[in-house]
Amino acid sequence: MRVQLRRLAHTRSGDKGDISNIVVIAYEPMFYDLLRDQLTPERVKQYFAGVIRGEVERYEVERLGVINIVAHGALGGGVSRSLCLDQYGKTLGALMLGLELDVPASLVPRLRGD
Amino acid sequence: MRRGAALRIGAGSAWWGDRISPAALNAERGDLDYLCFETMAESTVSAAQVRARRDPSFPGYDTYLDDRFRAVLPHCLKRGTRIISNQGWVNPVGAARRVKTLLAEHGAPDWKVAAITGNIITDRIGTLGARLLETSEPVESIANPIISAEAYLGAAPIVEALKAGAKVVITGRVADPSLFLAAMMVEFDWDEHDVAHLGPGAGVGHLLECGAQVTGGYFADPGYKDVPEPWNLAFPIAEVAPDGSAVITKVEGTGGVVNRMTVLEQMFYEVHDPANYITPDVVVDFTSAEIEEQGKDRVRVSAIGGKPRTPTLKVSIGAADGFIGEDMFFYAGPGALGRARLADTILRERFRIVGLSAEDLRIDLLGVNAIHGPASPPPVHEPYEVAVRVAARAKSRAEAEKIGREVDAMAVSGVGHTGKRVPHGERVREVIGIWSALVPRDTVVPEIQFV
């Protein structure tokens, strides 16, 4: 089954210059492997096409259920000079919530929301 | 050295525009040993320098300084709560003097107030051989005049001021976690190389520095992450133990929530490599953290790691970077999207005809793709209403003004049913580009001044 990431994880985005970090936190430890396997830097870069202009780095902290996505060139040249309405990229965490993941039937009953 | 009961540190603000009443509530009911205010963004100092040049009445420090101190001082004086604040911006001494006056008004003329200065290095940033982190080019490669260069100080000068008896310490640019860490270093007698304690201490400071972002703010998502009484959020309190572990909590009877999820979201907020979160005092390692919910709105955070600090300090550099012109108009009803798209076409043609010389131009359709641009999915239904927002960055004010002038023309020379706001406010703003660089520690010498 293909579901939006928001049913498996919550997110928050933060800014430093022209870099946005989007932390993705699994609601349940059992979701972590799915996130790690499917939320690759390549996939993120493709999904954020036109928004992220530079490289995407990924840091994993499995014991906390955390994947930290660090996106370079994601804030329109930097918060201070950006023409983006959302200068700080505060909503980029919400964009991540819509990324679709394949989830095995056995985990579907554990998903959040509908 | 402190023994026994935990050290209680509360947040009083997470940025300049933050709400003031939760700070007062923390001061009144938080039983705090320390209350810390964070009021600076990356561009605060440069913006303050620009404003100070134009407006002789601007004192150069937090414009809400009086409001904040009047709200908390009666409670802080009663409890003996010490205050650490970066409200000094470009004039920490002036801010400290103002605090001294407010203290006298509140019957406490003897409370000692210290200002920390010495971190503004605008005059010599060009001579230190530093390179910009953004481009790896020398600082001198910045084309426009530098407005301000200021180093992020660590906790050390604040610690020294507190040990010398300061009840209130006012700083300019200081790394946010350091404001909180300083209190722990004083009370637990941690020295500046004690990374096993500085790591967790700075980590706890990071959890507090964004105020309500750990107590239910910047969090609610109905049906997924629900927050009780989100109109009544509190600012956080840390009950810090001598080993640097802490319980993150808030005043009872307030809205919001402190749980594993709010703590995790804030722990990784604005963090890149979680094993190496660099502060002036210590490199923090969050990957070993233990997070334990200890009941309603009480989360214990322990086992955050620390590594020796780097040999450099980060400097934030602000330089003039042209002007942004921006305006907006709107459509509604059947065919709104088609009219908005025609307006987009007209504007682009007009900008060509009038020879707009822009370094960057955006035309966004609010309700369709304004926020996430090309990453937005195509609309499933035609939106009932659409706003057209136009923005351009240009070298000169005259070029940036062309945006508003062309949008003005859309009122009678544009598309049918064009809605527009008249009169409008200032449509051109000055841009301050922010750069960063690293400089050797010994090139920055903090000074402590009691007022």
Side-chain angles (χ1 to χ4, degrees):
Chain A
M1 188 174 168
R2 230 168 144 70
V3 303
Q4 291 190 321
L5 180 141
R6 77 184 307 209
R7 301 196 59 192
L8 288 74
H10 55 114
T11 64
R12 174 173 291 191
S13 45
D15 64 281
K16 281 263 188 281
D18 198 19
I19 301 171
S20 176
N21 88 290
I22 305 169
V23 61
V24 178
I25 305 165
Y27 280 120
E28 313 243 10
M30 67 179 68
F31 297 150
Y32 189 77
D33 288 355
L34 281 176
L35 293 168
R36 187 191 51 211
D37 294 346
Q38 297 183 49
L39 203 60
T40 60
E42 298 73 32
R43 179 81 198 282
V44 170
K45 196 161 176 181
Q46 180 194 14
Y47 178 74
F48 282 77
V51 175
I52 299 175
R53 293 172 187 178
E55 291 309 302
V56 172
E57 297 173 84
R58 185 174 92 158
Y59 297 94
E60 299 166 28
V61 190
E62 180 170 1
R63 47 185 300 286
L64 297 175
V66 162
I67 289 176
N68 192 31
I69 299 291
V70 179
H72 296 256
L75 297 176
V79 168
S80 59
R81 47 208 307 278
S82 170
L83 296 186
C84 303
L85 203 51
D86 179 18
Q87 286 173 276
Y88 294 85
K90 298 279 186 182
T91 69
L92 293 181
L95 178 55
M96 183 71 89
L97 294 177
L99 190 145
E100 290 192 335
L101 302 167
D102 289 314
V103 176
S106 60
L107 288 183
V108 169
R110 303 300 296 265
L111 296 173
R112 286 225 171 186
D114 47 28
Chain B
M1 181 172 162
R2 188 184 187 90
R3 296 178 200 283
L7 173 65
R8 299 180 63 85
I9 306 175
S13 60
W15 70 292
W16 162 76
D18 214 343
R19 212 172 274 159
I20 292 175
S21 55
L25 193 69
N26 254 359
E28 182 183 1
R29 290 174 46 201
D31 189 26
L32 299 179
D33 299 301
Y34 289 84
L35 177 61
C36 301
F37 290 93
E38 200 290 286
T39 63
M40 293 175 75
E42 280 185 318
S43 61
T44 300
V45 170
S46 294
Q49 301 281 28
V50 168
R51 183 166 167 194
R53 269 185 226 158
R54 284 208 193 116
D55 174 5
S57 70
F58 172 57
Y61 50 77
D62 178 12
T63 52
Y64 292 124
L65 182 113
D66 277 31
D67 295 337
R68 293 201 154 99
F69 271 85
R70 287 186 197 282
V72 304
L73 271 186
H75 311 298
C76 290
L77 288 167
K78 192 172 169 191
R79 166 65 173 76
T81 302
R82 296 210 250 184
I83 297 171
I84 302 170
S85 170
N86 70 3
Q87 286 164 285
W89 295 7
V90 296
N91 187 9
V93 174
R97 290 198 176 116
R98 180 64 196 157
V99 170
K100 194 76 179 161
T101 303
L102 293 170
L103 279 164
E105 283 178 19
H106 285 79
D110 299 334
W111 261 39
K112 290 174 81 174
V113 181
I116 311 289
T117 58
N119 67 320
I120 295 182
I121 57 170
T122 316
D123 56 344
R124 58 186 189 277
I125 184 64
T127 67
L128 298 175
R131 287 181 176 270
L132 301 174
L133 295 179
E134 291 81 3
T135 62
S136 305
E137 299 290 323
V139 168
E140 301 89 283
S141 69
I142 299 175
N144 296 310
I146 290 174
I147 298 166
S148 173
E150 73 276 1
Y152 284 81
L153 296 178
I158 305 173
V159 169
E160 197 180 327
L162 291 169
K163 284 186 173 170
K167 295 286 195 181
V168 180
V169 181
I170 303 287
T171 75
R173 180 75 75 195
V174 166
D176 299 347
S178 306
L179 297 167
F180 301 87
L181 177 62
M184 303 175 213
M185 291 173 72
V186 169
E187 297 295 327
F188 297 129
D189 209 18
W190 299 339
D191 80 42
E192 59 180 333
H193 300 293
D194 183 359
V195 294
H197 288 118
L198 300 188
V204 169
H206 172 66
L207 291 174
L208 298 176
E209 71 178 67
C210 293
Q213 284 196 184
V214 75
T215 53
Y218 193 36
F219 182 77
D221 195 1
Y224 289 80
K225 297 183 297 179
D226 291 305
V227 172
E229 290 187 51
W231 48 87
N232 187 26
L233 298 185
F235 291 160
I237 295 167
E239 301 169 357
V240 189
D243 67 354
S245 67
V247 171
I248 307 295
T249 186
K250 65 185 181 70
V251 168
E252 274 186 44
T254 53
V257 60
V258 184
N259 62 22
R260 182 183 175 85
M261 292 195 289
T262 66
V263 167
L264 271 172
E265 284 196 17
Q266 185 52 33
M267 184 176 282
F268 290 87
Y269 179 72
E270 292 180 345
V271 168
H272 295 170
D273 178 356
N276 293 288
Y277 180 68
I278 299 171
T279 80
D281 306 297
V282 62
V283 176
V284 181
D285 181 358
F286 288 112
T287 63
S288 54
E290 300 282 349
I291 300 168
E292 182 194 350
E293 293 185 349
Q294 287 195 330
K296 187 174 182 293
D297 298 322
R298 291 182 62 82
V299 176
R300 181 166 184 267
V301 180
S302 59
I304 295 173
K307 306 171 193 177
R309 66 192 189 191
T310 63
T312 52
L313 293 176
K314 182 173 156 183
V315 178
S316 184
I317 303 166
D321 205 354
F323 299 82
I324 288 177
E326 183 175 7
D327 205 348
M328 196 187 297
F329 52 99
F330 42 86
Y331 297 95
L337 183 55
R339 289 191 291 281
R341 288 194 166 130
L342 177 56
D344 177 313
T345 304
I346 293 172
L347 281 173
R348 288 182 194 277
E349 285 297 318
R350 289 299 313 170
F351 292 144
R352 188 181 55 77
I353 292 166
V354 301
L356 173 69
S357 170
E359 297 182 317
D360 199 2
L361 168 71
R362 265 183 86 125
I363 302 180
D364 299 313
L365 302 184
L366 266 93
V368 180
N369 64 3
I371 318 289
H372 293 152
S376 317
V380 180
H381 304 288
E382 179 170 327
Y384 185 77
E385 51 189 44
V386 184
V388 180
R389 180 239 181 199
V390 197
R393 191 176 65 251
K395 283 201 165 67
S396 70
R397 180 176 285 276
E399 285 300 306
E401 281 172 350
K402 287 181 179 173
I403 301 303
R405 293 297 292 131
E406 287 305 320
V407 168
D408 287 340
M410 293 300 286
V412 296
S413 306
V415 181
H417 315 290
T418 298
K420 202 172 164 330
R421 294 178 298 172
V422 180
H424 35 65
E426 179 60 55
R427 294 180 294 180
V428 173
R429 65 178 188 272
E430 206 171 330
V431 180
I432 298 166
I434 301 293
W435 307 87
S436 38
L438 302 177
V439 300
R441 283 176 179 273
D442 60 10
T443 59
V444 181
V445 184
E447 288 167 31
I448 299 164
Q449 186 176 334
F450 281 87
V451 299

